[in-house]
Amino acid sequence: GQNIDQPTEMTATEGAIVQINCTYQTSGFNGLFWYQQHAGEAPTFLSYNVLDGLEEKGRFSSFLSRSKGYSYLLLKELQMKDSASYLCARMDSNYQLIWGAGTKLIIKP
Amino acid sequence: IAGITQAPTSQILAAGRRMTLRCTQDMRHNAMYWYRQDLGLGLRLIHYSNTAGTTGKGEVPDGYSVSRANTDDFPLTLASAVPSQTSVYFCASSDSPSLHTGELFFGEGSRLTVL
């Protein structure tokens, strides 16, 4: 995606914690989104950060640092069903989403 | 079930043919979008509509056209399909173009293969 960088693939163990990082171009920033996409399915919304800091939502948390152009998605107590691609997207000054290529997360027993 | 419906779910098409992908939402959302998703690339915006009667071009509009005659429907037309348009197409909607609630709702996707 345009100036959105996230790792292509990560592997983690069931029950563990994993952090998926995303860096983005800071100009024209209006918010940072994380979506989950299981193979062959549509993306589904996970989180939206517009201010700096950590937003916690159950086992998933998302962090934003606007000055650094950096976000991460933290997944705790990993379950096999968390195996999916995680898409980072920033909203630009025209309120359009610019998407990263996604991070494929593989969970091993 | 409320949400977004896309049709067809899958289609194989000969190059040069005309094809329309249909998208209907029943959430009364103002904004609708068409994305394509290709392996190794992020979702790329083709066209969008902030409200009924208006449309705009996204990142990759060439070869595609849209219309928004009413709130619910947002069809995507390929006038003369080419193999590079082989992709998975997602329709999405949001209650506001500025996404102030933070959420974009996606249809299940239409897998198009152009031979």
Side-chain angles (χ1 to χ4, degrees):
Chain A
Q2 300 172 18
N3 309 114
I4 302 276
D5 292 312
Q6 52 181 132
T8 303
E9 187 175 295
M10 298 181 71
T11 302
T13 304
E14 189 177 16
I17 299 172
V18 71
Q19 178 175 312
I20 303 174
N21 296 324
C22 172
T23 57
Y24 62 88
Q25 177 182 303
T26 57
S27 62
F29 177 79
N30 261 319
L32 197 289
F33 294 78
W34 284 96
Y35 279 74
Q36 180 189 59
Q37 186 177 25
H38 286 99
E41 298 183 8
T44 55
F45 173 79
L46 289 177
S47 69
Y48 170 47
N49 294 67
V50 64
L51 299 176
D52 290 350
L54 188 68
E55 295 273 347
E56 297 187 72
K57 194 184 293 185
R59 293 189 300 113
F60 291 10
S61 302
S62 57
F63 172 84
L64 178 68
S65 169
R66 289 173 294 172
S67 62
K68 295 182 180 178
Y70 169 67
S71 173
Y72 67 72
L73 181 69
L74 190 71
L75 293 74
K76 302 177 184 176
E77 301 169 17
L78 286 169
Q79 302 175 9
M80 297 304 293
K81 67 179 182 179
D82 297 330
S83 292
S85 288
Y86 292 86
L87 313 181
C88 173
R90 72 170 178 90
M91 185 159 56
D92 68 13
S93 55
N94 295 317
Y95 300 104
Q96 299 299 338
L97 292 185
I98 310 299
W99 298 81
T103 298
K104 182 179 181 181
L105 179 63
I106 299 168
I107 310 296
K108 295 185 174 180
Chain B
I1 298 176
I4 300 182
T5 303
Q6 290 184 231
T9 56
S10 181
Q11 182 75 46
I12 299 174
L13 187 66
R17 297 297 296 270
R18 180 184 180 88
M19 177 72 195
T20 295
L21 303 180
R22 300 183 298 279
C23 176
T24 299
Q25 54 102 359
D26 61 4
M27 297 176 282
R28 307 303 292 171
H29 282 173
N30 286 309
M32 297 187 75
Y33 312 83
W34 274 106
Y35 289 95
R36 61 178 289 173
Q37 187 174 40
D38 302 289
L39 195 64
L41 298 176
L43 288 160
R44 291 183 292 170
L45 183 65
I46 304 170
H47 285 287
Y48 65 94
S49 170
N50 286 337
T51 189
T54 69
T55 62
K57 293 182 179 180
E59 180 186 354
V60 289
D62 294 344
Y64 306 95
S65 63
V66 291
S67 61
R68 187 87 184 278
N70 56 61
T71 298
D72 300 342
D73 301 301
F74 191 44
L76 176 73
T77 297
L78 289 68
S80 179
V82 295
S84 62
Q85 292 178 311
T86 293
S87 188
V88 179
Y89 291 86
F90 286 101
C91 181
S93 74
S94 64
D95 64 345
S96 165
S98 61
L99 294 172
H100 63 266
T101 61
E103 187 167 359
L104 205 59
F105 294 84
F106 284 86
E108 290 303 308
S110 297
R111 182 174 295 275
L112 183 66
T113 302
V114 183
L115 301 177

